[in-house]
Every structure is written in C-alpha cells, then in structure tokens.
Amino acid sequence: MEKVKLNVQGMSCNHCVNSIEGSVGKIDGVSNVKVDLGAGSVFVEFDKEVVTLDKIKETIDDQGYEVQ
C-alpha cells in the first residue's frame, strides 16, 4: 500500500470533508482516506497497482478543490 499526504486548497467545512472522503473513498484501490480540514491536508492510502495518484488527484479536483 502507498500512503500520501496531499495539500488541498478550497476546503472550508464539513461538507468539504464529506465530499472528498466520499468521492475518493469510492475509488477502487483506495483503502483509506482522511481529511484534516485545519491543516488543509488529505491523507490517502491506496494500492498503486489498482489506482494511480493522478486519478485520486483528478477526483479531488472534480469536486472543486485544488490539489497542490
């Protein structure tokens, strides 16, 4: 399993947390996702044989947030 911390801008409330955790959590190969709203971070644990980091970033971007 691969573990990454992504810096994400645009998150401001619990709706943002639920949106990201819900959408990223549904991706095949993602085993864990946790948003730290205060730090502006998203921690993702995933199987790089099943899903790419780019796909995860794209999913967050599609929710209206900017991954840096």
Side-chain angles (χ1 to χ4, degrees):
M1 284 289 168
E2 187 88 11
K3 295 180 183 181
V4 295
K5 174 186 168 189
L6 302 171
N7 294 317
V8 179
Q9 290 197 335
M11 302 183 300
S12 60
C13 62
N14 282 334
H15 172 74
C16 302
V17 172
N18 294 335
S19 177
I20 291 174
E21 288 182 351
S23 62
V24 174
K26 290 179 183 174
I27 300 172
D28 284 341
V30 172
S31 60
N32 190 25
V33 57
K34 180 69 178 148
V35 174
D36 184 337
L37 191 59
S41 301
V42 178
F43 299 90
V44 184
E45 188 173 346
F46 64 100
D47 183 346
K48 64 182 180 181
E49 300 295 321
V50 178
V51 65
T52 64
L53 182 56
D54 285 341
K55 172 64 177 169
I56 294 167
K57 289 179 178 180
E58 180 183 306
T59 300
I60 294 171
D61 189 57
D62 287 348
Q63 295 298 312
Y65 308 101
E66 184 179 340
V67 180
Q68 296 188 318

